[in-house]
Amino acid sequence: MTRGDGRLNHDILPGETGPQDSCGVFGVWAPGEEVGKLTYYGLYALQHRGQESAGIATSDGERVLVYKDMGLVSQVFDETALGSLTGHLAIGHTRYSTTGASKWENAQPTLGGTAHHTIALAHNGNLINTSELRGLLSARHVDGFGTAGGELRRGNTTDTAIVTSLLGSRAEDVSLEEAAMEQLPLVKGAFCFVFMDEHTLYAARDPQGVRPLVVGRLERGWVVASETAALDIVGASYVREVEPGELVVVDEQGLRTRRFAEPEPKGCVFEYVYLARPDTTIAGRGVYEARVDMGRELARQHPVEADMVMPSPESGTPAAIGYAEESGIPYGQGLVKNAYVGRTFIAPSQTIRQLGIRLKLNPLRDVIKGKRLIVVDDSIVRGNTQRALVRMLREAGAAEVHVRISSPPVRWPCFYGIDFASRAELIATGIDVEGVRRSVGADSLGYISEDGMIAATHQPREQLCTACFSGTYPLGVPDDQAVVLDPAHA
């Protein structure tokens, strides 16, 4: 599938998917601006975070209007749709499903509210106490959901719809802001919520700050977004991150904040490795610079004599540049990608399927032939992509193929908003590095150490979540998933 910047994601093999990004959220409060179009462009910048569905909600002060559908941002919205999304505030969402199936009913923003007020909510992350929250709804309403059930009664199966219903289950004399202050401390897991009623924009981030969320300033308003790159595209200046455990409120009085929980930072290290756009900044650290430094450290930890350093397109490029700089080995492009093979290409025939990777990548034979190659990528999940790449490079005449990975082995699933393969499918589960090397067919294989990866982020180790590499889950895991883990890691 295509990323928001038009580049390929990990799925360069037909039917083969890599670690799928969580979701992207965007919100704007800007009277006098075309908030629907600003949100559209903000979501376009966040397309890499989710490619299944997209939606925008706007308000003109009297009513909330939502437009959402399955597909990429550019497929869901056109001029007619955006022309109807008018008002002074808006929120938007681009989704990859982690909780709830990929279907129209689960597209966001979700709707809820009371008899006199509407709520629209968009969520990036994944909750770990949805059963508990659903029990709260059941306790408050005889039928389990009642009037405030909203999309839950219409078939929405996401944790987002549960939170929307909780916020809507308040008494009429309780404001949405006060409801949020009461309900947010009950929500456990990774969440960045951007939500709204007819008049006000809200944003909230979980006490661990697992997923990024930032605030930006427009000349006539405010913006909140998953990544700083989305601020850039709409012309907003970066102000700061939404702090862990903080509720941000924007209305005609300006921007104010409240704290619903004490911060216990555990930012996702995989944002630096792969998820975030390279032109994004997280916690003051540029993602591109972090990835280049990971490549430099990888070269120090796993040197090898070779003729050329090349990336696995496109996610391995910054780390490959760093590896080449540190090693002194020339950097080169050994593969050409077809940028037009995207999400919806015709299913290949069996003959073409056997060629697999060539639908999207083709080797530069004159560049590769006879050379000892170092191929740099950000991660290995199942190993199928790396196996196909190594085979292709050898067939193109490479003398040696050395694989270098700018993250440690992925051995554990994520319950906080990234959809990795199941633990049984992760190639590094139960085998050592030499076993992975043999499986992918490389002449050598080297992963960066966890310490080296963390050092490149410039963040304190104790403020990062490394669960997918270490098996240590700082927020706990969902009750229905605990059985898949070793008790020592639960």
Side-chain angles (χ1 to χ4, degrees), residues 153-368:
R153 292 185 291 115
R154 295 191 288 271
N156 191 310
T157 58
T158 66
D159 51 6
T160 309
I162 293 174
V163 174
T164 307
S165 295
L166 279 173
L167 292 173
S169 64
R170 68 190 192 276
E172 284 292 343
D173 60 348
V174 176
S175 68
L176 180 54
E177 181 176 338
E178 291 307 319
M181 291 299 294
E182 292 175 6
Q183 303 302 329
L184 289 173
L186 305 178
V187 180
K188 308 300 180 186
F191 61 84
C192 288
F193 294 136
V194 175
F195 54 108
M196 61 182 279
D197 56 17
E198 286 82 356
H199 306 285
T200 308
L201 174 68
Y202 302 87
R205 194 177 180 199
D206 66 80
Q208 288 73 32
V210 176
R211 300 278 151 236
L213 191 64
V214 295
V215 177
R217 191 76 166 96
L218 290 168
E219 184 177 350
R220 294 190 286 180
W222 297 89
V223 173
V224 290
S226 292
E227 297 186 27
T228 60
L231 303 182
D232 298 336
I233 201 171
V234 299
S237 57
Y238 172 79
V239 176
R240 65 175 178 86
E241 292 196 350
V242 176
E243 294 182 8
E246 182 181 33
L247 173 68
V248 173
V249 183
V250 184
D251 58 17
E252 67 274 2
Q253 317 253 318
L255 182 146
R256 64 183 184 276
T257 69
R258 301 179 68 177
R259 184 165 295 286
F260 63 87
E262 289 303 310
E264 301 174 14
K266 286 291 182 182
C268 173
V269 73
F270 209 72
E271 294 279 356
Y272 294 93
V273 172
Y274 171 71
L275 291 186
R277 282 174 52 139
D279 52 342
T280 279
T281 299
I282 302 175
R285 176 62 162 159
V287 170
Y288 177 84
E289 289 79 8
R291 291 174 185 170
V292 171
D293 275 358
M294 288 175 194
R296 293 191 180 106
E297 180 61 22
L298 192 56
R300 289 189 287 267
Q301 292 185 7
H302 297 286
V304 64
E305 291 187 8
D307 303 305
M308 187 175 83
V309 178
M310 58 172 282
S312 173
E314 296 278 347
S315 56
T317 298
I321 291 171
Y323 194 107
E325 289 177 353
E326 181 67 25
S327 66
I329 300 170
Y331 173 88
Q333 292 286 351
L335 298 163
V336 173
K337 69 179 179 66
N338 180 352
Y340 299 97
V341 179
R343 186 176 179 83
T344 55
F345 62 96
I346 301 299
S349 66
Q350 182 60 31
T351 300
I352 297 298
R353 190 187 305 277
Q354 290 171 355
L355 298 176
I357 201 170
R358 296 180 190 274
L359 286 168
K360 295 189 176 182
L361 295 174
N362 206 37
L364 291 165
R365 297 178 183 277
D366 292 341
V367 174
I368 290 170

